[in-house]
Amino acid sequence: MLLVIFIFASQQIMAQKVVVKHSEESELVSVICHLGDIDGYVWDDEDIATPAYFTEVDSVFASYKKHPAVVFAKNKLRNKGFAWSTPMDFAMKFKLERGKVVYRDDVEIDGYYDHITQKNEKKLLKLMRKFYDQSNFHQFYMAHESLYKECEEAMQEVVDSLDVEWYDHFFGKKENNTFRIIPGLLNGPGNYAIHSKTKDGSQCVNAVMGCAGIDENGKIYYGLSFTLPILVHEFNHSYCNPLNEEYWKEMKDAVIAYFEPNADFYRSIAYGNPLYVLNETFVEASMIRYLMSHPLDLNGTNYTMPELIERYIEIDESDKKFTMIRDVIEALDVREQNPVLYPTMHDFMPEYVKTVNRCAKQQRQ
């Protein structure tokens, strides 16, 4: 009986590590970005899983497309990097408290000020406060509470299949670390990873997930075989990016030379920096390693597990030109097979660096 209680308690602790919660803050910023035609918040019709919601946002807020907050984001910030994940970074820098927009100076976001200055952050916050009050945004948000709840419940079904303990095993344990998922609708098929820290030493691995679908009954759903790999990918960023940044000087020359021949292509898919390409390669390779040890239920699909993994690799190679992906996957296998020699991913990084430099050189020849 004690063993049963212990197992149940362990499962409860594990489940509690991932919080699935819609955010009024992120939805507020998403609406402003959508009205301002910011990349990542405006999509072609075929990419939108919830067209009725997009149509309603356009209708309800039609008279606010020229609001100073929208105009500032569109004309002053968009071309300076305020797009894709950066608006969601910004959404974590404030909280809505008793109907007021309150700035959070206790939160740090990795790479945040690379895409927005503190001066522009302050101005956008001031304009957004006016937008929030003048547009009656809270009323709109509460009117759609059941839809947001539906997103949370559908995403929870995916989270229940996620082995979050894998992160400690694969990368090395992080203290004071929690995981949070914010379902999004206006970021359409886009999904964003955000690593946040607070002054008390706690860290949060955030994933803003927009890859919703609609089932045959018109309900929100997140297909497990599609969504879980994306979720693993987004969480991976909080582990892979800092490691690449720490060892960047040792790989920089090789990766830049690898990047340059396809620079225009990488920019066209939102990876306009050699480090971004390396981050995505590391993140994807780690996601593949997860799938290799965690088979998915593929009933209803046309894939076996090996076929699905191969398909992901082929997409990385052909559609994204992450041509080092297979070599990095093999290198990470060495890490997993030698846990005594490489207790954490940080311990393995010198070997990872050798793999990246060798592959980058070979690809250029």
Side-chain angles (χ1 to χ4, degrees):
M1 182 64 179
L2 288 176
L3 178 60
V4 173
I5 293 172
F6 174 76
I7 292 173
F8 178 75
S10 298
Q11 290 174 336
Q12 288 294 97
I13 291 170
M14 180 174 167
Q16 290 170 4
K17 283 191 174 182
V18 181
V19 176
V20 182
K21 184 66 177 174
H22 202 277
S23 161
E24 185 176 5
E25 291 85 356
S26 64
E27 201 65 22
L28 170 60
V29 177
S30 295
V31 167
I32 290 172
C33 289
H34 177 72
L35 297 174
D37 298 324
I38 304 294
D39 288 340
Y41 303 87
V42 181
W43 301 92
D44 294 332
D45 290 343
E46 60 268 22
D47 292 325
I48 299 174
T50 53
Y53 185 71
F54 276 72
T55 298
E56 189 169 2
V57 168
D58 286 331
S59 174
V60 170
F61 297 102
S63 61
Y64 293 93
K65 284 184 72 72
K66 294 185 178 180
H67 188 280
V70 176
V71 173
F72 182 67
K74 180 176 183 177
N75 296 341
K76 298 296 183 181
L77 301 182
R78 181 173 57 170
N79 293 330
K80 296 179 180 179
F82 191 77
W84 305 106
S85 65
T86 302
M88 294 298 94
D89 293 346
F90 173 71
M92 293 187 185
K93 292 289 289 182
F94 70 91
K95 58 184 175 180
L96 291 165
E97 198 171 70
R98 297 185 181 90
K100 301 294 183 182
V101 177
V102 180
Y103 183 74
R104 296 194 62 181
D105 58 5
D106 64 323
V107 175
E108 293 181 13
I109 308 292
D110 288 351
Y112 172 58
Y113 286 114
D114 293 342
H115 304 289
I116 186 171
T117 65
Q118 289 181 307
K119 179 180 178 181
N120 284 339
E121 175 194 53
K122 184 177 180 180
K123 183 170 182 179
L124 180 58
L125 190 70
K126 180 179 179 180
L127 295 173
M128 190 182 64
R129 287 186 174 114
K130 294 180 179 179
F131 179 93
Y132 184 71
D133 293 335
Q134 293 168 358
S135 67
N136 294 315
F137 181 84
H138 184 65
Q139 181 179 347
F140 170 85
Y141 186 81
M142 294 307 295
H144 294 82
E145 190 174 23
S146 61
L147 175 62
Y148 305 140
K149 185 67 175 177
E150 191 178 315
C151 290
E152 293 173 0
E153 292 173 351
M155 181 58 74
Q156 188 64 53
E157 295 183 17
V158 176
V159 171
D160 289 344
S161 298
L162 174 66
D163 177 12
V164 74
E165 298 297 325
W166 174 82
Y167 286 92
D168 284 349
H169 171 75
F170 189 77
F171 291 104
K173 189 172 180 59
K174 282 190 175 184
E175 300 295 336
N176 301 318
N177 209 38
T178 57
F179 293 77
R180 179 172 65 161
I181 299 170
I182 302 171
L185 292 173
L186 290 177
N187 50 307
N191 307 280
Y192 309 128
I194 303 167
H195 189 85
S196 61
K197 307 171 188 176
T198 53
K199 290 181 179 179
D200 64 4
S202 63
Q203 302 183 64
C204 189
V205 180
N206 301 278
V208 182
M209 300 291 288
C211 55
I214 300 292
D215 65 16
E216 63 274 10
N217 298 314
K219 296 292 186 180
I220 294 285
Y221 86 104
Y222 299 89
L224 180 65
S225 62
F226 175 73
T227 307
L228 188 62
I230 295 174
L231 183 57
V232 173
H233 171 112
E234 297 304 334
F235 282 160
N236 284 353
H237 273 291
S238 290
Y239 293 82
C240 296
N241 292 20
L243 289 169
N244 272 340
E245 289 164 9
E246 181 179 349
Y247 285 85
W248 179 236
K249 288 183 179 179
E250 298 177 32
M251 303 180 284
K252 181 178 179 180
D253 293 343
V255 176
I256 289 175
Y258 166 84
F259 171 88
E260 285 301 326
N262 293 302
D264 289 341
F265 170 80
Y266 289 130
R267 292 187 186 101
S268 73
I269 59 172
Y271 304 131
N273 180 305
L275 181 57
Y276 296 167
V277 174
L278 186 60
N279 286 342
E280 290 296 321
T281 301
F282 193 4
V283 162
E284 279 287 283
S286 299
M287 181 271 285
I288 295 297
R289 297 304 311 178
Y290 178 93
L291 294 181
M292 286 178 168
S293 60
H294 294 75
L296 302 177
D297 181 358
L298 297 178
N299 286 334
T301 74
N302 295 321
Y303 291 103
T304 64
M305 202 62 213
E307 289 171 343
L308 180 65
I309 289 171
E310 180 60 25
R311 180 57 184 149
Y312 273 115
I313 295 172
E314 289 174 352
I315 290 172
D316 285 330
E317 289 178 322
S318 61
D319 294 3
K320 301 177 183 177
K321 298 188 185 297
F322 299 159
T323 52
M324 290 191 284
I325 188 74
R326 290 184 193 270
D327 293 274
V328 177
I329 291 170
E330 290 179 7
L332 296 179
D333 179 51
V334 174
R335 149 80 179 88
E336 287 189 273
Q337 298 303 320
N338 295 276
V340 176
L341 185 59
Y342 308 112
T344 70
M345 190 64 73
H346 192 274
D347 296 308
F348 184 71
M349 285 306 289
E351 296 303 315
Y352 167 87
V353 168
K354 291 177 184 177
T355 298
V356 168
N357 285 335
R358 172 178 56 80
C359 291
K361 183 178 179 180
Q362 289 174 346
Q363 301 275 341
R364 299 196 311 270
Q365 293 176 345

